[in-house]
Amino acid sequence: MRRLFIDDGIMKNLSYKNIVWDWNGTLLDDVDTGVQTLADMLERRGLVSLSREEYKARFGFPVENFYRGLGFDFAKESMHDLSVDFVETYDKFAGHLDLNPQVREVLACFRQQGRRQYILSALREDLLKQMAWDFGIAGYFEGICGSDNIYAAGKVERGKRMLGDYGILPAETLMIGDTLHDAEVATSLGFGCLLYAGGHNDEQRLVKKAPVIHDFHELF
C-alpha cells in the first residue's frame, strides 16, 4: 500500500503515478469569492451572513444540505433556482480570481516527474474546462472531469466514470483537495488523499480525515 510520510512539512515518499486535483479552493483560489457570493445571497433573503472562518467551519456537500442549514427555504425556492442565483452572483465577484500560490510550479513539477494529472470537480464540466484554459493550465491534465449540471451535489459518480474513461488504477492515485468531501471521494474511489488547509474547509475538520498541507511546496 502506498502511504504518505510527512515530517517537518516535507513529503518524503510520493510514489503515486496519478494525481487527481480538486478545482475550487485547491487549484483555484476562490474562497473569498465563495464567502462574498454566499453573503450576498443570504443578505437578499434576510438571513444571517457567515464570516470567512464560519464559512470554512460549515461548508460541505451536498451543497443543498449546507443551504438548508443556513436557513434557505426550499418551500419557496428550488435547488435549481438557488444554483442559478449562486452562479450569477459568483460571476459578479469573480473578476480577480487566480490560482492558488505555487500551483503552476507544482503542476509543472509533477509533469516533469512523469505523473499523470487530472481534475475532478463538482463544477459544470464545460465551465471547468474553459476556466482551466483561461488560466493557461489545461495542458497539464490528461482529463478534466466535471459535473453535467450546476447543482454541486458531489463527485463520486463522476469519479467512477473517470476511472473507466482513463484506465486509472486507484491504488496508484493520490487525490489532492480542500474539503471533507474530497476525502470522502478519495475513500470511495480507493485513492490516497492529501488535503489543503487554504481552501473551503478549515484545518480542524480536515485533519480528522487525511494529512494536511498549508503550502503546495510541502509536497516536495
Side-chain angles (χ1 to χ4, degrees):
M1 178 179 294
R2 291 165 173 78
R3 297 180 58 200
L4 298 176
F5 298 90
I6 298 183
D7 180 24
D8 295 329
I10 298 173
M11 183 174 297
K12 293 191 173 181
N13 180 15
L14 183 54
S15 57
Y16 295 96
K17 295 180 180 179
N18 310 302
I19 308 295
V20 175
W21 293 92
D22 169 59
W23 178 249
N24 297 90
T26 304
L27 293 175
L28 183 68
D29 181 7
D30 74 337
V31 176
D32 288 335
T33 301
V35 172
Q36 289 175 311
T37 298
L38 189 63
D40 186 286
M41 293 174 66
L42 290 167
E43 182 178 356
R44 284 188 276 111
R45 292 164 175 84
L47 298 172
V48 178
S49 188
L50 299 178
S51 68
R52 192 177 195 273
E53 293 71 24
E54 290 169 334
Y55 170 85
K56 286 169 68 80
R58 296 183 64 176
F59 177 75
F61 289 82
V63 172
E64 180 175 344
N65 292 348
F66 173 60
Y67 284 170
R68 289 184 188 278
L70 297 178
F72 287 93
D73 189 347
F74 282 83
K76 296 180 179 179
E77 299 179 276
S78 69
M79 186 60 193
H80 174 77
D81 294 335
L82 290 172
S83 298
V84 170
D85 188 6
F86 178 88
V87 171
E88 293 176 349
T89 307
Y90 183 98
D91 285 346
K92 291 195 306 183
F93 297 110
H96 301 290
L97 283 178
D98 202 352
L99 301 177
N100 271 310
Q102 302 130 15
V103 162
R104 290 182 175 87
E105 179 183 350
V106 169
L107 293 176
C109 259
F110 279 151
R111 180 169 66 180
Q112 185 176 20
Q113 292 171 352
R115 306 183 201 277
R116 295 184 297 274
Q117 300 183 83
Y118 305 84
I119 297 177
L120 177 61
S121 173
L123 183 64
R124 203 175 74 196
E125 188 164 305
D126 59 338
L127 298 177
L128 177 63
K129 289 180 176 179
Q130 185 61 55
M131 292 185 79
W133 279 108
D134 289 345
F135 283 109
I137 61 171
Y140 287 112
F141 303 102
E142 303 291 322
I144 298 176
C145 304
S147 172
D148 61 359
N149 60 64
I150 61 172
Y151 305 137
K155 49 198 178 189
V156 173
E157 292 306 314
R158 184 64 183 92
K160 291 177 180 177
R161 297 206 318 272
M162 182 185 73
L163 291 178
D165 291 343
Y166 295 98
I168 298 170
L169 296 180
E172 297 178 347
T173 305
L174 173 71
M175 183 160 193
I176 302 177
D178 70 306
T179 66
L180 297 181
H181 183 58
D182 291 317
E184 294 165 355
V185 171
T187 298
S188 296
L189 299 178
F191 298 164
C193 185
L194 187 66
L195 298 173
Y196 171 59
H200 289 269
N201 281 174
D202 62 29
E203 182 174 4
Q204 288 77 9
R205 301 170 75 190
L206 299 180
V207 294
K208 298 175 183 178
K209 295 293 184 180
V212 171
I213 58 171
H214 308 84
D215 181 305
F216 286 120
H217 281 166
E218 294 176 39
L219 289 165
F220 306 108

